[in-house]
Amino acid sequence: MLPVVMAGRLGVSLAFTGSIFVLLTAGMFLAGPFYSYLMDTYKRKYICLLSFAIMLLVNAACLFVQTPVEFMLLCLIHGISFGLATTTSITLAIDLTNPGKRSASNVVFGWTSRFGMMMGVAAGIAVFMYRGFDEVVYLSAAVGGVGILLINMLYVPFRAPIGSKLCTTDRFLLGRGWIPLLNMILIALIPSVLITLVPDTYKCVVLMGYSIPFFAVVGTGFFISAVFLKLLFKEDNFLGQIISGLVVMILATALLAFPVAELTTAPGAVLLGIGMGLVTPEFLLMFVKLSQHCQRGTANTMHLLSWETGISIGIAIACYTTAQIPESLPVLYRFCLAMAVLSLLFFLLVTYPYFKKKRFR
């Protein structure tokens, strides 16, 4: 909700506030070279708790922002703290998992992150519609507080420092992951553009007289794909699962871009969630299989960076388009369709051949 709310409160354009969100990703990249040093030098659990708490303070500070510069600084700090919180969470998840099940742990962590994002968007839209922006911030603080309590409950065994350099790409950038990163950015552009379509009529799916947030329906599809995934695909059907997921996303965005009836919004939302549920876990495994055994954390962070980069760029594109083009909704839906088609072509022609050549396992 921040792009629209801050545009009104600060007296600036929606295009300006939307573009500021790129600073979230910039903050992650600025702090990234220091992730490994911080997690090796200090207790990872406390680093995670501290960065999580800073995120919540930044969210609360949005209620008191008075100038665009203050908002820009908050976005930058948010990106730094978010990147550190998620990277340490990934590392803790790997450390606390038996070595033989770490790939499965990576997938579960990535899946819950995506599901949490969709439910967060849906809850934020619903609360904003019925209660206002301040209540959205309070809800965010409450959910974040529960997250901090859960992390605090973890028992993390002591690990002796290994002497990481102050500035390194370890736990930050995977050298072999640049091609999948570009492909993942294209995929992430699709939901991120849809996130920013703020007017109430565009955010809701009407079923049986009830208005349901669009991303709540998307999250339902995402959940369905996870529950029934193993019934449709064999465990090693990596190529088929990604192709199927991208084809489903093409169909979903086509229903939104060229609706044959008002009811196509709900099927489009469900199919979008199913498609993302099929694609994103396999892309995470692709990053992991491109990494060496000691680079699992780096692979997970690279996957996260690709997703968040696509989300930030998509929000900026949607806000700029909405501010500049009257009746921009059909244009943005068709942009999503183009990105879905491009994602499939890029995967077939570039990413998969590269993956077969460069994979370690």
Side-chain angles (χ1 to χ4, degrees):
M1 306 313 305
L2 280 172
V4 169
V5 171
M6 287 302 163
R9 290 191 175 190
L10 301 178
V12 296
S13 68
L14 180 61
F16 178 78
T17 53
S19 63
I20 287 177
F21 274 78
V22 177
L23 290 174
L24 287 169
T25 301
M28 295 175 65
F29 277 94
L30 285 174
F34 306 101
Y35 287 162
S36 183
Y37 174 80
L38 290 171
M39 284 186 281
D40 182 55
T41 305
Y42 304 100
K43 292 184 178 181
R44 296 168 180 176
K45 176 178 174 178
Y46 296 146
I47 291 292
C48 187
L49 289 171
L50 177 62
S51 54
F52 209 149
I54 293 173
M55 283 175 55
L56 296 187
L57 291 175
V58 170
N59 284 348
C62 289
L63 294 174
F64 307 101
V65 169
Q66 296 182 347
T67 67
V69 174
E70 291 176 353
F71 185 48
M72 292 170 69
L73 289 174
L74 283 182
C75 286
L76 189 63
I77 296 171
H78 195 171
I80 293 172
S81 57
F82 175 77
L84 188 55
T86 49
T87 301
T88 49
S89 298
I90 290 167
T91 303
L92 289 174
I94 293 173
D95 288 347
L96 299 175
T97 304
N98 292 329
K101 294 186 177 182
R102 283 179 176 169
S103 291
S105 175
N106 295 155
V107 170
V108 170
F109 189 95
W111 188 91
T112 52
S113 299
R114 303 295 174 271
F115 187 72
M117 182 205 76
M118 295 174 202
M119 292 298 99
V121 171
I125 295 295
V127 173
F128 180 77
M129 287 168 54
Y130 296 108
R131 302 290 297 179
F133 178 71
D134 289 6
E135 280 70 16
V136 175
V137 176
Y138 301 150
L139 175 62
S140 177
V143 173
V146 173
I148 289 177
L149 289 175
L150 291 173
I151 294 171
N152 191 54
M153 291 169 60
L154 292 175
Y155 169 72
V156 182
F158 171 77
R159 286 180 176 271
I162 58 176
S164 294
K165 297 179 181 178
L166 176 63
C167 187
T168 177
T169 58
D170 187 30
R171 294 196 182 93
F172 175 43
L173 295 178
L174 181 67
R176 291 171 170 258
W178 288 104
I179 297 298
L181 177 140
L182 294 175
N183 207 159
M184 195 67 195
I185 288 174
L186 293 175
I187 295 169
L189 284 174
I190 300 167
S192 65
V193 166
L194 297 176
I195 285 173
T196 323
L197 302 179
V198 176
D200 296 351
T201 53
Y202 300 156
K203 303 302 295 188
C204 293
V205 176
V206 179
L207 292 174
M208 300 175 62
Y210 293 96
S211 295
I212 304 172
F214 180 84
F215 268 85
V217 184
V218 174
T220 301
F222 193 76
F223 183 79
I224 290 171
S225 71
V227 172
F228 298 104
L229 192 62
K230 292 184 180 295
L231 300 178
L232 300 175
F233 295 95
K234 294 181 179 179
E235 189 172 341
D236 296 327
N237 193 1
F238 166 83
L239 178 62
Q241 186 169 323
I242 291 182
I243 292 176
S244 298
L246 290 174
V247 169
V248 171
M249 292 182 72
I250 291 173
L251 179 59
T253 51
L255 287 174
L256 296 174
F258 304 102
V260 295
E262 293 183 0
L263 294 177
T264 57
T265 305
V270 173
L271 289 175
L272 180 63
I274 291 174
M276 287 195 293
L278 291 172
V279 170
T280 52
E282 295 305 306
F283 260 84
L284 175 56
L285 287 178
M286 185 189 307
F287 280 101
V288 171
K289 291 179 179 179
L290 286 169
S291 66
Q292 298 183 25
H293 180 72
C294 59
Q295 294 180 312
R296 286 179 180 269
T298 308
N300 275 265
T301 302
M302 190 78 161
H303 181 256
L304 169 73
L305 284 171
S306 63
W307 180 261
E308 293 303 325
T309 300
I311 293 292
S312 298
I313 294 173
I315 289 175
I317 290 172
C319 289
Y320 180 83
T321 304
T322 301
Q324 299 296 323
I325 302 176
E327 301 296 329
S328 60
L329 185 62
V331 175
L332 291 172
Y333 279 157
R334 290 169 188 175
F335 174 81
C336 292
L337 175 58
M339 289 302 100
V341 173
L342 183 59
S343 297
L344 177 60
L345 293 176
F346 193 89
F347 174 76
L348 292 174
L349 300 177
V350 181
T351 305
Y352 187 64
Y354 174 85
F355 171 72
K356 288 196 300 181
K357 181 179 179 181
K358 296 291 185 178
R359 63 183 293 178
F360 276 112
R361 49 185 179 271

